[in-house]
């Protein structure tokens, strides 16, 4: 397979993620594109650990660890600090989990996006608070098990539609991407790098540990997420122009759900219900999108 | 140049003269006119800084942390609820060893809502690892902003300078505004020793084992202690250029005093007048102003108080279930001294309650008359 991905690596062996962690792949692909003139902000998350234990770091660009809800505000400060010293070249990357983005850090993110702060904000979405042991977040999908949504009472609300919420800030660029499609992901990072203002990338990043699935199957699961329309790949420019980047193959959601223990408790009825919800959301997206 | 200005604008001028580079800001009464004035300075080009209109104080401090980590000189201002909201990030600024300077205008915490003077907001942040200076006049406010950067950037710890709501923040006084060139000489442009640098990449703040963690905390304490020497030198150097200095404390008429009143902020000014009056009547009373609260100026406090028979501490704050916060600190400072005064804790002036000469005199008389300090603080004024 030919790939447009650059070969320079910025993550070294010895990081502390579980085998098969999607969040590591997401960071790796992104830094491959952004290169050495990048400063990364990491709020509390699995990535607080993945980076490694002092005095070691698995990342070869400057990295600033910060409090859970502050990725966007710290990134704003770093950008301003570099800017006023004459460095307008360095890319500031906020790299936050779904909890940090959808929930506790949402206010700061919304504020920064409204101000159109010049950074790339990546939400690596593993659909729960993994660092603290798989509690639900507002990114957890309907029907999923987590340690705070036990199988007797699984998540009973849909996943927050974060991309549309971010697009509604009329930021120049917002896109979904997946670790299963690195070329699409890399192209989006490259595009984001060339745009001034707030760029938001929502990256589907499976977590074998929290999803109770096999490490060897995470890429397959991520592909199925796209082709079952659970996680469509699309982008939104300037808040209004929606563009779908990959036509889903219309595989039934069952195929996606069955590879993950977190959905093992679902009945046929539940699965039909999820299929209906996914179809509805896809229709909703189609109405806004251009292919 | 002498200018008449309110305390808040004295802060703003101090910030402009310090050539601050990034100012994340969020409004709250009675702080707001500090950052309003700064936004004017930035808009007019008098100050070449990024002024970031964040969506909360938590983000203001987080943004300061980012900017400071990137190597920029950074300032913000807040008050009361805003300071409380920042709490998590105050610790972060210290742990990340960032020389951020912040002005806190002392204001009461709700409920009930109250926008007036009260020191509980800043004193509640005592253990966050910020240096704290309590100012008495607008001149002291302006000068302390400049000194704060000098000290913070040397010890790599953040500084909070504190001024009273309305009594300073909104009261106009004549202020000698230093010459910009002189300030540049005193406080050269900021060159961060450690910063996020793509040419020298490091990870800041990653997971540390208990051994390293405790080692880092120990270093913070060492540098807090060192901050005393650094602050003394910063004050002396300031005096040699600007002919003004403040010390960590100010002992007023303490020589031979049987009773010494200890307090901070604008109450000090009122207390000086009371002490003068009582001295005229032949009473042996003195006054100790506490300007630097963190690091705590043990030697100055012990030196001033050790020979007194009694000490009355006037607190505009209360640690519920214990006593006035300054009182606790003074008691702990004196405890191991071979000769030590009896120490009385008085609470007054909360929520902006006017601390009049009458109240101060009542406190002094009360302490003189009581043989033994009661275990609980004595409350003066206020409705029950
Ligand atoms: C203010 C605050 N509340 C709670 C925590 C505990 N905490 C740390 S990481 C985390 C969950 C992170 O979830 P997410 O952002 O989805 O990242 P993930 O761990 O899944 O990679 C929580 C709850 C914290 N560090 N700070
Ligand atoms: S728990 Fe999940 S997200 Fe966290 S390191 Fe392991 S695989 Fe990655
Ligand atoms: Mg998560």
């Amino acid at each position: 397979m030919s790939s447009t991905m650059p070969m320079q690596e910025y993550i070294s062996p010895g990081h502390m993620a579980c085998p098969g962690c999607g969040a590591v792949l997401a960071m790796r692909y992104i830094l491959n594109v952004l290169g050495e003139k990048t400063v990364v902000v990491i709020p509390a998350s699995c990535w607080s650990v993945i980076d490694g234990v002092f005095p070691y770091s698995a990342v070869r660009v400057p990295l600033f660890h910060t409090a859970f809800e502050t990725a966007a505000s710290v990134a704003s400060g770093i950008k301003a600090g570099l800017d006023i010293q004459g460095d307008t070249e360095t890319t500031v990357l906020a790299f936050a989990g779904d909890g940090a983005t959808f929930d506790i850090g949402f206010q700061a993110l919304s504020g920064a996006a409204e101000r159109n702060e010049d950074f790339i904000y990546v939400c690596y979405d593993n659909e729960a608070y993994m660092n603290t042991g798989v509690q639900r977040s507002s990114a957890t999908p309907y029907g999923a098990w987590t340690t705070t949504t036990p199988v007797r009472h699984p998540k009973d609300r849909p996943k927050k539609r974060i991309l549309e919420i971010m697009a509604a800030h009329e930021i120049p660029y917002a896109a979904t991407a997946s670790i299963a499609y690195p070329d699409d992901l890399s192209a989006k990072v490259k595009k984001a790098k060339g745009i001034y203002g707030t760029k938001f990338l929502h990256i589907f990043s499976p977590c074998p540990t929290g999803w109770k699935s096999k490490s060897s199957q995470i890429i397959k699961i991520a592909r199925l997420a796209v082709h079952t329309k659970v996680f469509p790949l699309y982008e939104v420019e300037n808040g209004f122009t929606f563009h779908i980047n990959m036509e889903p193959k219309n595989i039934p959601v069952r195929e996606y759900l069955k590879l993950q223990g977190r959905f093992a408790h679902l009945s046929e009825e539940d699965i039909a219900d999820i299929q209906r919800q996914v179809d509805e959301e896809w229709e909703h997206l189609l109405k806004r999108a251009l292919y | 140049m002498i200018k008449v200005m309110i305390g808040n604008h004295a802060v703003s001028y101090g910030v402009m003269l310090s050539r601050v580079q990034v100012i994340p800001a969020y409004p709250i009464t009675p702080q707001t006119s500090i950052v309003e004035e700064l936004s004017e300075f930035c808009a007019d080009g008098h100050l070449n800084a990024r002024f970031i209109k964040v969506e909360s104080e938590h983000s203001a401090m987080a943004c300061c942390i980012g900017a400071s980590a990137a190597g920029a000189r950074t300032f913000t201002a807040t008050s009361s609820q805003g300071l409380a909201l920042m709490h998590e990030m105050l610790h972060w600024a210290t742990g990340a060893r960032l020389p951020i300077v912040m002005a806190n205008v002392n204001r009461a915490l709700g409920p009930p809502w109250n926008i007036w003077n009260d020191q509980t907001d800043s004193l509640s942040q005592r253990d966050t690892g910020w240096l704290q200076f309590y100012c008495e006049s607008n001149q002291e406010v302006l000068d302390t902003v400049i000194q704060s950067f000098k000290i913070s950037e040397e010890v790599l710890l953040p500084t909070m300078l504190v001024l009273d709501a309305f009594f300073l923040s909104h009261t106009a006084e004549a202020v000698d505004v230093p010459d910009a060139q002189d300030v540049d000489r005193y406080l050269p442009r900021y060159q961060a020793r450690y910063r996020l640098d793509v040419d020298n990449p490091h990870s800041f703040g990653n997971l540390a084992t208990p051994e390293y963690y405790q080692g880092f905390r120990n270093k913070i304490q060492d540098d807090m202690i060192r901050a005393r020497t650094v602050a003394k030198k910063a004050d002396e150097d300031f005096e040699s250029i600007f002919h003004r200095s403040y010390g960590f404390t100010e002992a007023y008429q303490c020589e031979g005093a049987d009773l010494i009143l200890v307090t901070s902020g604008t109450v000090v000014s009122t207390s000086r007048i009371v002490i003068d009056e009582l001295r005229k009547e032949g009473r042996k009373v003195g006054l100790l102003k506490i300007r630097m609260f963190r690091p705590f100026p043990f030697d100055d406090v012990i030196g001033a108080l050790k020979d007194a028979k009694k000490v009355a501490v006037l607190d505009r704050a209360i640690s519920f279930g214990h006593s006035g916060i300054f009182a606790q600190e003074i008691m702990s400072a004196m405890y191991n001294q071979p000769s030590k005064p009896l120490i009385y804790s008085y609470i007054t002036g909360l929520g902006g309650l006017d601390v009049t000469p009458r109240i101060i005199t009542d406190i002094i008389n009360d302490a003189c008359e009581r043989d033994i300090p009661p275990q609980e603080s004595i409350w003066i004024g206020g409705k029950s």
Side-chain angles (χ1 to χ4, degrees):
Chain A
M1 191 185 88
S2 77
S3 174
T4 51
M5 282 174 47
M7 291 318 290
Q8 180 69 37
E9 294 289 354
Y10 295 93
I11 297 186
S12 48
H15 65 72
M16 305 221 338
C18 314
C21 175
V24 174
L25 285 178
M27 179 75 95
R28 181 178 164 210
Y29 296 147
I30 290 166
L31 289 182
N32 282 344
V33 177
L34 294 182
E36 63 182 18
K37 283 204 180 311
T38 305
V39 172
V40 185
V41 182
I42 306 269
S45 59
C46 271
W47 250 100
S48 315
V49 180
I50 295 171
D51 179 37
V53 180
F54 180 86
Y56 303 106
S57 167
V59 181
R60 295 193 172 114
V61 295
L63 201 155
F64 192 81
H65 289 272
T66 189
F68 199 10
E69 62 284 40
T70 62
S73 35
V74 167
S76 307
I78 291 175
K79 186 67 196 172
L82 293 175
D83 214 46
I84 195 79
Q85 295 174 87
D87 174 1
T88 49
E89 218 187 316
T90 297
T91 303
V92 177
L93 168 70
F95 196 83
D98 49 288
T101 304
F102 286 59
D103 294 338
I104 197 165
F106 183 71
Q107 171 181 323
L109 172 59
S110 176
E114 185 273 332
R115 298 191 303 272
N116 199 28
E117 296 285 350
D118 185 24
F119 56 66
I120 301 178
Y121 187 104
V122 167
C123 170
Y124 71 94
D125 186 1
N126 51 29
E127 305 197 315
Y129 300 154
M130 295 311 179
N131 177 256
T132 40
V134 204
Q135 296 81 30
R136 66 90 92 178
S137 75
S138 59
T140 303
Y142 177 88
W145 161 91
T146 66
T147 56
T148 50
T149 50
V151 293
R152 294 177 310 287
H153 196 295
K155 177 101 183 295
D156 58 0
R157 293 283 300 150
K159 185 182 177 92
K160 201 188 264 186
R161 295 213 301 272
I162 196 74
L163 204 83
E164 288 172 67
I165 296 169
M166 292 314 298
H169 289 75
E170 297 184 28
I171 52 176
Y173 190 60
T176 64
S178 169
I179 53 128
Y181 294 99
D183 282 354
D184 175 76
L185 192 160
S186 302
K188 286 170 175 169
V189 175
K190 200 168 169 194
K191 185 166 177 178
K193 191 182 176 185
I195 298 172
Y196 176 89
T198 305
K199 288 81 61 175
F200 179 79
L201 298 179
H202 181 197
I203 303 188
F204 193 76
S205 309
C207 162
T209 312
W211 293 10
K212 298 185 175 177
S213 40
K214 289 200 182 105
S215 297
S216 58
Q217 291 200 316
I218 64 144
I219 303 292
K220 183 171 180 191
I221 292 170
R223 279 193 198 132
L224 282 167
V226 173
H227 290 293
T228 53
K229 303 173 300 195
V230 165
F231 195 88
L233 299 184
Y234 68 105
E235 57 193 357
V236 188
E237 284 174 64
N238 301 314
F240 293 101
T241 316
F242 282 59
H243 188 94
I244 294 171
N245 308 108
M246 192 172 290
E247 193 172 349
K249 292 177 183 150
N250 257 332
I251 297 170
V253 289
R254 172 196 312 281
E255 300 304 311
Y256 167 72
L257 300 174
K258 77 178 185 197
L259 297 179
Q260 304 172 55
R262 63 176 174 153
F263 296 116
H265 55 279
L266 296 179
S267 66
E268 285 303 317
E269 237 170 62
D270 295 332
I271 294 174
D273 200 20
I274 291 173
Q275 183 70 61
R276 192 185 44 74
Q277 289 182 31
V278 165
D279 291 342
E280 252 175 43
E281 290 209 12
W282 175 251
E283 288 306 316
H284 169 81
L285 179 62
L286 276 186
K287 276 189 208 130
R288 314 177 128 212
L290 324 154
Y291 264 106
Chain B
M1 182 193 25
I2 306 283
K3 266 177 104 87
V4 174
M5 63 175 79
I6 59 171
N8 277 354
H9 289 171
V11 175
S12 317
Y13 272 85
V15 171
M16 178 169 66
L17 289 165
S18 300
R19 299 198 191 277
V20 166
Q21 295 168 297
V22 179
I23 306 168
Y26 196 79
I28 182 168
T29 304
Q31 169 281 121
T32 313
S33 49
I34 296 176
V35 296
E36 283 174 345
E37 186 79 344
L38 285 170
S39 83
E40 299 277 344
F41 291 162
C42 292
D44 293 344
H46 295 317
L47 177 60
N48 180 24
R50 291 281 177 280
F51 188 92
I52 308 177
K53 298 127 196 160
V54 288
E55 89 307 326
S56 71
E57 288 90 348
H58 196 283
S59 286
M61 187 44 60
C63 204
C64 283
I65 286 169
S68 187
R73 190 173 278 163
T74 306
F75 171 87
T76 191
T78 192
S79 220
S80 170
Q81 311 294 135
L83 185 65
L85 186 60
M86 284 179 183
H87 177 73
E88 181 193 29
M89 301 320 288
L90 298 184
H91 281 284
W92 207 278
T94 300
R97 304 304 305 263
L98 299 171
I100 298 162
V101 173
M102 171 164 66
N104 180 66
V105 182
N106 273 144
R107 159 185 158 177
L109 287 150
W113 284 118
N114 178 301
I115 56 168
W116 296 290
N117 191 41
D118 189 303
Q119 292 179 331
T120 310
D121 58 353
S122 53
L123 291 172
S124 299
Q125 305 302 339
R126 182 186 70 171
D127 302 334
T128 54
W130 283 60
L131 283 75
Q132 286 198 1
F133 291 95
Y134 288 78
C135 299
E136 187 195 340
S137 69
N138 293 354
Q139 185 72 60
E140 187 177 336
V141 164
L142 189 151
D143 295 345
T144 302
V145 173
I146 298 167
Q147 288 194 3
S148 295
F149 282 106
K150 182 94 176 163
I151 303 163
S152 273
E153 289 168 11
E154 174 58 34
V155 297
L156 295 183
L157 288 170
T159 297
M160 187 186 303
L161 67 120
V162 182
L163 57 152
D164 286 341
F166 301 104
F167 301 122
L168 281 187
S169 69
H170 288 65
T171 303
E173 292 180 342
V175 174
D176 186 353
V177 179
D179 202 65
Q181 280 167 348
D182 289 339
V183 178
D184 287 344
R185 197 148 52 92
Y186 177 78
L187 182 73
R189 277 166 203 257
Y190 182 44
Q191 291 288 338
R193 265 174 283 166
Y194 311 97
R195 62 187 178 87
L196 294 162
D197 180 0
V198 291
D199 296 323
N200 183 20
H202 285 285
S203 177
F204 290 70
N206 60 339
L207 202 63
T209 55
E211 289 73 19
Y212 276 118
Y213 184 87
Q214 181 164 317
F216 285 137
R217 297 287 124 168
N218 205 333
K219 278 205 163 71
I220 292 173
Q221 171 69 356
D222 289 348
D223 283 328
M224 260 289 181
I225 303 302
R226 192 164 66 88
R228 283 196 206 110
T229 319
V230 172
K232 188 162 187 292
K233 171 101 179 19
D235 201 32
E236 285 163 5
D237 291 352
F238 194 88
E239 183 171 28
S240 69
I241 297 178
F242 304 102
H243 314 294
R244 290 186 296 274
S245 73
Y246 299 95
F248 301 163
T249 62
E250 182 194 323
Y252 184 71
Q253 303 276 17
C254 286
E255 205 78 0
D258 288 337
L259 181 139
I260 296 174
L261 178 77
V262 179
T263 194
S264 63
T266 51
V267 177
V268 172
S269 306
T270 319
S271 300
R272 254 196 217 96
I273 294 165
V274 173
I275 297 294
D276 286 346
E277 291 297 319
L278 295 177
R279 279 274 176 181
K280 269 190 223 148
E281 292 169 19
R283 309 265 303 264
K284 288 162 121 185
V285 288
L287 168 69
L288 183 69
K289 159 183 168 173
I290 308 281
R291 172 171 178 259
M292 184 168 80
F293 179 67
R294 280 293 179 275
F296 193 79
F298 285 103
D299 290 345
D300 301 61
V301 168
I302 293 166
L305 301 182
K306 67 180 187 335
D307 296 329
K309 295 195 180 78
K310 291 181 176 183
V311 166
V313 186
L314 188 162
D315 264 292
R316 281 197 111 123
I318 170 80
S319 170
F320 296 117
H322 200 292
S323 54
I325 297 170
F326 275 98
Q328 294 171 35
E329 299 265 335
I330 302 289
M331 286 178 200
S332 85
M334 301 309 293
Y335 183 77
N336 283 334
Q337 297 311 305
S339 85
K340 47 182 171 268
L342 294 168
I343 299 173
Y344 298 73
S345 167
Y346 292 91
I347 309 289
T348 190
L350 302 190
L353 189 91
D354 202 7
V355 183
T356 58
R358 178 76 261 151
I359 285 183
I360 295 167
T361 311
D362 285 351
I363 287 173
I364 291 172
N365 288 339
D366 185 88
C368 287
E369 281 158 23
R370 284 182 204 252
D371 289 341
I372 309 265
Q375 198 173 52
E376 313 299 345
S377 302
I378 302 150
W379 290 65
I380 308 284
K383 291 194 166 127
S384 53

